Structure formats: structure tokens, C-alpha cells
Amino acid sequence: MPNGNKIPGDLDANLDDKIDKNHDRKTRKWYIVLFIIFVFAMLGVGTVLVFGGTHWPIGKHTAYTGPKLIVISIDGLRFDMVAYNTTPNLARMADEGIMSPLVPAYPSLTFPNHYSMMTGLLPNKHGIIGNRFADLSRGESFDTRLDNCTSDASWLVHGEPIWTTLEREGGRAGIVHWVGAGCRFGGKRAKYAFPFRRHTHPEFVTDALIKLASIRGPKQTPNLLMAYYSLVDSTGHRYGPESVQVQRALGIIDKEIGRLRLFLSQKYPDTNLMVVSDHGFMTVKERIRLEDIWAGYEDSTMKAVCSPVTFLYPKLGVDVSGIVKRLKRQIKRKHPGKIKVYTRESMPSEFDFTGLPGRIPKIILQAEPGIAIDCSANGDSANDSDSNMLPKGDHGYDPKDPHMWAIFIAQGPAFMRDTLSLSKRINTKIKYTKGLPHTVDVYRVMANCLDLTVKSSLDSKARLENICFTKPFL
């Protein structure tokens, strides 16, 4: 682990301010925890370690068969970003396994899509409809930049994470900074849980996975490991997805994937490995100030997730239709064809963004590809990250746009091997159809690998499952 707040490799040093100031102290703390876990597990000492509200049961040492499934999320990894010259380890994994694009759920943002992957439900069912939003029935706002939101399970309206289902059926899970990892769903965290953090050194995430995978014991071995890497997303927002900084960030994450694959090949070759992402990325070409198209800020109580999806919550008693007409009129006059205005009732059915009247806003502004809505002049941050800088890259656009497509790569005994080369897969023009795999479909694949039953009430379909276990995508 590098000293200070330096991100490993030759990534631009200006990204250091994306790491929490207290990162060194927290990282050392978690390293100590991991070391104690590992030592107690290897010694076979039966005890329970409690640290930072997380319980770490360590049982008697017995023969170990390894985890069934490891799932890695690389936030913001667009489907076409994998290539041999920039991501050789991911490219080899794709060539030796299977690869597919994933259409994100609407809106194409981090928290809605991670919750869809881990619950098998769409945002209008699980209720995490954005990275920031208001819940008028609760009288509260959800903000991923606040620990009291990211660690509060009560924001989940329906469903439960796959690790909760697994542990209720007798399995064990280790969750490393994945979205929702710090929440007590059903009153309990995962057996081994590192709460969500936006910015953690990639090396630490991999170290944690390797340590957790090495825990031995009949009731201690994690069957499922899940981890989250944020570097590509934070770099893409700051410098743009086509920047050299993003290429370097990809290289850093790719080295960690290579390190994990080497460990698995030497210790646990029968473990299934999946790499997923939540959405793609697009270069921001134009910014439109919200005040340019709407002077009546007194009509709204909140603006959330600005750029390119903006939620507007009018005050009680305000004529919503009048606000919508005024917005459309201003957009047509000043920025024709660049922003669409929807009400909760007029949202396109393909977005599956209706219901939850206290949470899904009455007015939604959706920017066209490459357009960013800037609320910074009115005291709101420029985007839904924790940076006040205007982004050079963004997501949240129409999920059907290929720039928004996430990625799925899988390798292991449970998966088929695609005979088509990586270059042909990447260069093949793929048109959007309803049959394309979606991020919500990842749930069914995980459940299949873990021998869990998928409820018929879930939104997760067999689109990805068929590709993984029956017929490759291309």
C-alpha cells in the first residue's frame, strides 16, 4: 500500500483529493482488523471479534474449499473500455470466459443500479431511485455523500440484498465497500462487512478480498464475496471518459484484477469470478444552467441529482402543469431539443419509473446525450458526486444509448466459454433490443452460482442467465 494519499501508479496526483483525508488512519485500522481475522482463522481459535459495529466470528480450523462466487463492481466501466493494450487482465478474462453489455436501469446512476444488481428489482421497486433524492412521505432526503444514508437500511422499500438471502439460508458473505454493505438489512449486516466508501485504494480492496477468501472453517468460509472499485468513475467525472487519466485509472484497476486472478488460479481455481459495472460514461459537450430555463425556484423545495437527471419537487398546492409548461416553453426558446421535461405520469414506459409517489418526483428533467444540467449557481453541487467541480464526463442518460452500457465478464466452472475473440465482440455493432441483458439480470446469475431460488416476483430476467449458461451473446 502506498504511503500518504497517493493513488498507486502514475495517475495524475491531483486525484489525491478524491481520497478521504482520514484514509490512512482508516486503512491502517482495517488492515489491523483483517490481520487479526486472518491470524485467528488460521489458528482455529473460536471467538467473535467486534470492530466498528461489525461482528467477525472466527471458528475452528477445518478443510477449506474456497468461495463459490466473487463479484467485482468497477463503477463506470463502459462496455467498450476493455482492450488488450489498456486492460490486459480483463481482456484475458473475457477471452477465457464470457462477456456481454449490460443495459442499466433508469436512471443510469451508481446507487440505483447497484441496488438492482443486488436485489433483482428495478429502482421503482427497491426505492433507491437516484444517488440523491427526496422522500416527501419521510420528510427526509437521501444523499450518498452522507454516511447516515448509505448505512441506513430503511431506505430500501422492497426486496433484500442477495447476501442477506444467502445468509438466511445458511451461507456466508463478505462484502467489501459494495453499495449497501454498511446497512443492517433485516437487522443484520453480512457476516464480513466493510461499509460502503466512495474512495478506497484499489490495492486495499483486493487485499481485503484475498484475506476474506482465505478464512477457513465449516461455518466461517464465505460462499460469496463482493467488492467495489470507484476509481474509474471518479476519474471519468473529473477528466472525461476518453482522457488519458481514465486510461491510467483503468490500468490500475486492471492490475488488481490480475492480482486477484493469479491468487485464485493458485489457491481456488474452482471459484467463479464475475466483473460487472453499473453504467457507462459519456463526454460532456455542453452545460445548461438550470436558472436559464427556470426562474421560478420558489416553486420547488429541492433539486436533486443535477446533471443530467434533475428531480424537481414542487411545493404542495403548486400547479405542476403550469411549471411543466413554463419549463418546456423556456427550453424550446433557449435550448431546443436538449432537455426533455417529464412528469411522473408521463415518463416513458420503457424507463419503468412510475409509482412510489412520495419518492419519485413530480417533475423530471432528462438531458439529451452530452448535455449537463448545472445547478451550481443555486447552491446545489454540479453533479451527484462529492466534487463541486463541473464534470467533464457524466452518466444518467437514456439507458438505450450504447455509451451508457455497463459490462459483464465472467469466468469459472459455472460459465460457458465464448469462442468469439474480444476484438470481434467489441467491434461488432450491437443495436439496442429489449432482449439485451440488463444490470438487474445480474441477480439471477449470482443466484444460480449460489444455488439460491429466484422469486418470480423479481424484475431480474433470464436474458443474462441464458448467455452465461446456454448460449454466448455473440
Side-chain angles (χ1 to χ4, degrees):
M1 176 68 67
N3 295 323
N5 284 336
K6 297 295 183 182
I7 295 175
D10 57 353
L11 191 65
D12 194 311
N14 288 331
L15 286 181
D16 295 347
D17 60 10
K18 300 294 287 180
I19 307 295
D20 295 335
K21 292 181 179 179
N22 294 326
H23 179 270
D24 285 346
R25 176 177 57 81
K26 293 180 179 180
T27 297
R28 285 194 296 270
K29 179 177 73 176
W30 285 113
Y31 264 129
I32 293 170
V33 175
L34 277 173
F35 179 74
I36 294 173
I37 292 169
F38 187 71
V39 169
F40 272 77
M42 294 300 101
L43 292 176
V45 178
T47 186
V48 175
L49 300 179
V50 182
F51 193 88
T54 303
H55 297 264
W56 303 92
I58 304 300
K60 186 176 180 180
H61 172 84
T62 58
Y64 172 59
T65 58
K68 287 184 178 180
L69 175 66
I70 297 178
V71 183
I72 304 296
S73 170
I74 304 176
D75 195 340
L77 180 63
R78 197 173 62 207
F79 172 66
D80 62 356
M81 285 181 173
V82 172
Y84 266 103
N85 61 334
T86 53
T87 57
N89 291 294
L90 285 170
R92 278 193 291 270
M93 182 179 168
D95 267 346
E96 295 170 9
I98 196 161
M99 176 177 170
S100 171
L102 295 176
V103 179
Y106 183 88
S108 50
L109 300 169
T110 296
F111 266 63
N113 279 277
H114 275 89
Y115 267 89
S116 287
M117 287 189 281
M118 70 198 215
T119 66
L121 294 171
L122 291 170
N124 69 335
K125 302 281 184 60
H126 60 61
I128 309 301
I129 63 166
N131 293 347
R132 295 160 59 201
F133 55 87
D135 188 315
L136 302 184
S137 60
R138 289 174 61 131
E140 296 179 90
S141 295
F142 180 89
D143 191 329
T144 61
R145 300 169 298 183
L146 303 176
D147 289 343
N148 64 332
C149 289
T150 59
S151 61
D152 184 355
S154 70
W155 285 99
L156 184 67
V157 176
H158 298 295
E160 65 181 12
I162 193 166
W163 63 77
T164 302
T165 306
L166 174 68
E167 295 197 341
R168 190 176 60 252
E169 296 190 12
R172 294 155 303 280
I175 314 299
V176 183
H177 300 317
W178 186 283
V179 169
C183 298
R184 297 182 183 276
F185 298 102
K188 294 174 62 178
R189 286 179 178 172
K191 188 177 183 72
Y192 310 108
F194 290 72
F196 172 77
R197 290 189 66 215
R198 278 183 175 272
H199 307 296
T200 302
H201 282 300
E203 290 180 16
F204 171 71
V205 176
T206 311
D207 288 344
L209 280 172
I210 290 173
K211 290 290 197 305
L212 291 174
S214 301
I215 294 176
R216 299 169 181 250
K219 294 185 179 180
Q220 313 307 325
T221 301
N223 310 106
L224 168 67
L225 293 175
M226 302 176 74
Y228 169 81
Y229 293 96
S230 64
L231 186 60
V232 174
D233 181 79
S234 58
T235 309
H237 279 297
R238 183 164 185 147
Y239 296 100
E242 315 305 330
S243 65
V244 65
Q245 288 87 353
V246 164
Q247 296 299 309
R248 291 170 181 167
L250 285 168
I252 290 170
I253 301 300
D254 186 73
K255 288 179 182 177
E256 296 307 307
I257 299 298
R259 187 157 68 96
L260 178 62
R261 292 185 72 223
L262 177 62
F263 166 78
L264 292 175
S265 68
Q266 294 174 342
K267 299 290 185 180
Y268 312 115
D270 289 334
T271 294
N272 294 297
L273 177 62
M274 287 169 41
V275 173
V276 300
S277 63
D278 46 356
H279 53 73
F281 244 108
M282 180 176 288
T283 299
V284 173
K285 298 178 181 179
E286 182 182 354
R287 296 180 182 85
I288 296 175
R289 295 186 303 170
L290 186 57
E291 63 180 1
D292 285 348
I293 58 174
W294 186 31
Y297 278 99
E298 68 279 0
D299 293 337
S300 177
T301 60
M302 180 181 177
K303 303 165 293 296
V305 192
C306 226
S307 180
V309 182
T310 299
F311 295 164
L312 301 178
Y313 298 87
K315 294 177 181 178
L316 290 176
V318 172
D319 178 18
V320 173
S321 62
I323 297 176
V324 170
K325 289 178 181 177
R326 182 169 57 188
L327 284 167
K328 289 183 176 180
R329 186 167 57 247
Q330 288 290 83
I331 290 170
K332 184 177 181 179
R333 186 169 67 88
K334 295 184 176 182
H335 305 284
K338 295 181 179 179
I339 299 175
K340 292 180 179 178
V341 183
Y342 296 113
T343 63
R344 186 166 56 218
E345 295 73 24
S346 68
M347 286 293 290
S349 59
E350 64 208 48
F351 287 169
D352 291 303
F353 207 63
T354 57
L356 298 179
R359 192 168 291 191
I360 292 180
K362 291 185 177 180
I363 303 174
I364 300 154
L365 305 183
Q366 177 61 62
E368 290 295 289
I371 305 296
I373 301 173
D374 176 14
C375 301
S376 58
N378 300 280
D380 203 359
S381 68
N383 56 69
D384 67 330
S385 72
D386 54 359
S387 169
N388 286 322
M389 294 182 62
L390 292 171
K392 293 185 178 179
D394 222 330
H395 48 89
Y397 301 106
D398 188 333
K400 298 191 301 298
D401 190 308
H403 290 90
M404 292 297 100
W405 292 355
I407 198 168
F408 175 89
I409 306 175
Q411 182 186 17
F415 299 102
M416 294 186 63
R417 179 171 182 175
D418 195 343
T419 58
L420 198 65
S421 69
L422 174 67
S423 60
K424 287 185 178 180
R425 271 179 276 176
I426 290 295
N427 293 324
T428 299
K429 291 289 185 181
I430 303 171
K431 294 183 178 180
Y432 173 81
T433 68
K434 292 183 179 180
L436 279 178
H438 289 53
T439 51
V440 71
D441 300 334
V442 170
Y443 181 91
R444 289 183 71 97
V445 177
M446 293 191 293
N448 189 301
C449 291
L450 297 167
D451 299 316
L452 298 176
T453 301
V454 178
K455 296 179 180 179
S456 59
S457 59
L458 297 183
D459 298 311
S460 188
K461 306 302 181 186
R463 292 167 292 205
L464 183 61
E465 190 178 39
N466 291 339
I467 293 169
C468 291
F469 310 121
T470 307
K471 182 180 179 182
F473 178 67
L474 292 172

